[in-house]
Amino acid sequence: MVVFQFVIVTFFYTQIAKPKYPLAVMYAVPTIIFPIYYLIALNVFKIRLDDNRLAIGTNIIIILLIFFCYKDSVLKKIWMYILMFLGMLVSELVIVTFTENVFKINMNSSAIQYSAYDIAGNVMVYDL
């Protein structure tokens, strides 16, 4: 799911908007910022993965990246964010539905709902 969402984000970042920096920089900045953000949020501030503050912070970072890393007008940047968000939402729904139906895993189970490692582990166990 993360790889698919990364492809969607990359498409919007490189095809719809006009980046100010080379593509390598556009990949590197989020790749560095998001792990640091999650490490600080989870370990220092003890925010749980299911906490809305984590999602709000993630979206704020995405909006800031869009506003500071692209040359387009403010309106186009806002539309880019909305389209990117909708694309990620649709991709998540498709992947979750696929996983639930093919591997018969209940994605709403509290034990696996917020852990990609558990989901991947369950998929491998069910596959075996």
Side-chain angles (χ1 to χ4, degrees), residues 1-123:
M1 181 167 49
V2 172
V3 172
F4 190 64
Q5 289 179 346
F6 193 70
V7 169
I8 290 171
V9 170
T10 303
F11 170 77
F12 282 105
Y13 280 179
T14 58
Q15 301 300 318
I16 295 178
K18 297 178 186 92
K20 291 180 185 177
Y21 309 105
L23 189 58
V25 174
M26 300 307 289
Y27 280 122
V29 170
T31 304
I32 293 168
I33 288 176
F34 283 110
I36 292 171
Y37 166 68
Y38 279 98
L39 285 172
I40 291 171
L42 297 173
N43 296 316
V44 176
F45 295 106
K46 305 296 185 201
I47 297 175
R48 294 171 26 120
L49 285 172
D50 60 344
D51 194 329
N52 288 335
R53 294 178 294 171
L54 196 63
I56 291 169
T58 300
N59 283 297
I60 289 171
I61 291 172
I62 291 171
I63 291 169
L64 290 174
L65 286 173
I66 289 172
F67 273 90
F68 289 113
C69 295
Y70 296 95
K71 302 175 188 175
D72 293 316
S73 68
V74 172
L75 184 60
K76 188 167 183 180
K77 290 176 184 179
I78 291 170
W79 275 111
M80 186 176 97
Y81 171 76
I82 292 169
L83 289 173
M84 181 184 63
F85 182 78
L86 290 175
M88 291 173 68
L89 181 65
V90 167
S91 72
E92 187 161 339
L93 292 173
V94 167
I95 298 296
V96 167
T97 303
F98 174 81
T99 303
E100 284 182 338
N101 291 325
V102 171
F103 297 105
K104 306 298 183 212
I105 298 173
N106 181 7
M107 298 296 280
N108 291 322
S109 168
S110 62
I112 64 170
Q113 188 172 8
Y114 300 107
S115 174
Y117 297 110
D118 289 339
I119 293 169
N122 284 330
V123 167

